[in-house]
Amino acid sequence: TPIQTAEYMASLIRTESEKVKILDPGAGNGLLTAAVVEHLIARGTAREISVVLYENDKNIQSLLKKNIEIISSYCSQKQVKLFIKTQKENFIVDNQKYWEMQKSKGLFDIVISNPPYLKIPKEAKEAKAMPSVCYGTPNLYFLFWAMGIHNLKQDSELVYIVPRSWTSGAYFKRFR
C-alpha cells in the first residue's frame, strides 16, 4: 500500500477514544497500522493502543517485525502505551470460530486493511470457513472484508481498499 494511500485511509478514522483496539488482518509490512497509529497520536486523544496484526507471508514477516519496532519506538516517544500481537496464521481460518457464532460481539474499534485479491476455489479452506457468504469461486478480499466486519464492535470503524466488483454479480450476492 503506498504511503499516500495509507495516510488517506488513516485520515478517515474518526474515533477519539483514549483506548483503541485495531485489527489489521492483512498487515503486509505494517504501513497501514503505522499510519493509523500516527493519526491517532496526532489527534492527541489516544493513550493506549492495542493492535492485532495478521500476516502469514513468510517473505514479508521480517520487514513487518522491523516496522513494528519503529511503531513501538514512536509510541514510546509520544508516551502512548502500545500493545502489539502479531499472528502468523491464516486470518480467515483462525477466525472461523467467531464466524460460526450467530452474534459476534466484536473485539475491535478499528479494522483497516488492503486485503489480498485472489480468486480461490470453492473448496479452499477459507471458503469453507465462511459458507454463508460464499458462492461459486470466491475472492479472498471479500472474505477478509466480511470477517473484518464480523470482528468489529458495534458502531466502530472499518476502512478497506476494495474493488467495486462486489456491487454486482452472483459471487457477491450473499455478502451484499
Side-chain angles (χ1 to χ4, degrees), residues 78-147:
K78 299 294 183 177
Q79 299 178 335
V80 172
K81 292 179 185 175
L82 178 69
F83 305 95
I84 294 185
K85 182 177 183 181
T86 305
Q87 301 287 99
K88 296 179 181 177
E89 293 81 23
N90 178 310
F91 170 65
I92 302 297
V93 175
D94 194 48
N95 282 270
Q96 181 177 357
K97 59 190 169 283
Y98 300 114
W99 184 260
E100 292 170 350
M101 295 174 161
Q102 290 297 318
K103 298 242 181 196
S104 175
K105 293 184 179 177
L107 302 171
F108 299 94
D109 303 299
I110 298 167
V111 180
I112 189 162
S113 185
N114 183 1
Y117 302 86
L118 177 69
K119 282 195 174 195
I120 58 172
K122 60 184 174 184
E123 301 84 26
K125 57 188 170 191
E126 295 88 354
K128 287 185 174 188
M130 301 172 68
S132 61
V133 292
C134 288
Y135 172 83
T137 306
N139 196 306
L140 270 179
Y141 85 80
F142 94 85
L143 295 178
F144 268 70
W145 193 9
M147 189 66 80

Side-chain angles (χ1 to χ4, degrees), residues 1-114:
T1 307
I3 186 73
Q4 297 86 354
T5 303
E7 289 172 347
Y8 172 71
M9 291 174 69
S11 77
L12 298 173
I13 293 170
R14 299 288 172 234
T15 189
E16 294 188 6
S17 300
E18 286 187 17
K19 291 183 177 183
V20 182
K21 289 180 141 185
I22 303 167
L23 170 64
D24 187 345
N29 64 11
L31 190 61
L32 284 177
T33 293
V36 171
V37 168
E38 185 177 31
H39 173 75
L40 292 172
I41 290 173
R43 287 190 123 175
T45 56
R47 297 286 161 238
E48 185 177 303
I49 301 172
S50 299
V51 182
V52 176
L53 302 157
Y54 274 86
E55 185 52 61
N56 65 354
D57 183 345
K58 291 178 175 71
N59 295 319
I60 201 159
Q61 288 173 348
S62 61
L63 179 57
L64 175 60
K65 185 177 179 181
K66 288 177 186 174
N67 286 337
I68 288 171
E69 291 170 8
I70 294 168
I71 296 167
S72 296
S73 175
Y74 178 73
C75 286
S76 181
Q77 290 171 11
K78 299 294 183 177
Q79 299 178 335
V80 172
K81 292 179 185 175
L82 178 69
F83 305 95
I84 294 185
K85 182 177 183 181
T86 305
Q87 301 287 99
K88 296 179 181 177
E89 293 81 23
N90 178 310
F91 170 65
I92 302 297
V93 175
D94 194 48
N95 282 270
Q96 181 177 357
K97 59 190 169 283
Y98 300 114
W99 184 260
E100 292 170 350
M101 295 174 161
Q102 290 297 318
K103 298 242 181 196
S104 175
K105 293 184 179 177
L107 302 171
F108 299 94
D109 303 299
I110 298 167
V111 180
I112 189 162
S113 185
N114 183 1

